[in-house]
Amino acid sequence: IDAAHAAGMQVLAAEGSGEWDLPALVQSAYGAGVAGGPDLTRPTLWVVGNEAHGFDGVDISRVDAQVAIPLYGQAESLNVAVAASICLYTTAMAQQSIG
């Protein structure tokens, strides 16, 4: 996290109870969302946790923000690889839109 910050990156954690909603950040990246949150068009390092236990026992207080991926239907959580893929792809698309 420190190395990412030193390189000018924001550090976001994918957390089910995150303070920011990923779709809202997408809308913000395209100029239609709530301002003041993380900017997906910036270089970003994503931190993801264990599927069953999240960040249990890990201090994520140094991240810039915690971001939730909304779940629809009866799913309780996402597989960590799926969650990481969603976050990375969403960020890449937001960055592509400004390029």
Side-chain angles (χ1 to χ4, degrees), residues 7 9 26-27 32 38 43-45 51 58 63 72-73 76 78 80 84 87 92:
M9 300 175 78
V26 170
Q27 289 178 348
T44 303
L45 171 73
E51 294 168 38
V58 176
V63 301
Y72 303 102
E76 292 182 15
L78 294 174
V80 68
C87 294

Side-chain angles (χ1 to χ4, degrees), residues 6 29 31-32 40 48 94:
L40 295 182
V48 295

Side-chain angles (χ1 to χ4, degrees), residues 79-99:
N79 170 285
V80 68
V82 171
S85 297
I86 290 169
C87 294
L88 294 171
Y89 187 81
T90 301
T91 304
M93 293 303 295
Q95 291 175 3
Q96 180 71 21
S97 74
I98 63 162

Side-chain angles (χ1 to χ4, degrees), residues 1-52:
I1 292 174
D2 292 337
H5 282 148
M9 300 175 78
Q10 69 183 341
V11 180
L12 305 178
E15 171 62 49
S17 61
E19 60 199 321
W20 295 96
D21 184 65
L22 188 58
L25 297 181
V26 170
Q27 289 178 348
S28 182
Y30 290 96
V34 177
D39 180 359
L40 295 182
T41 64
R42 289 186 51 211
T44 303
L45 171 73
W46 281 96
V47 178
V48 295
N50 178 284
E51 294 168 38

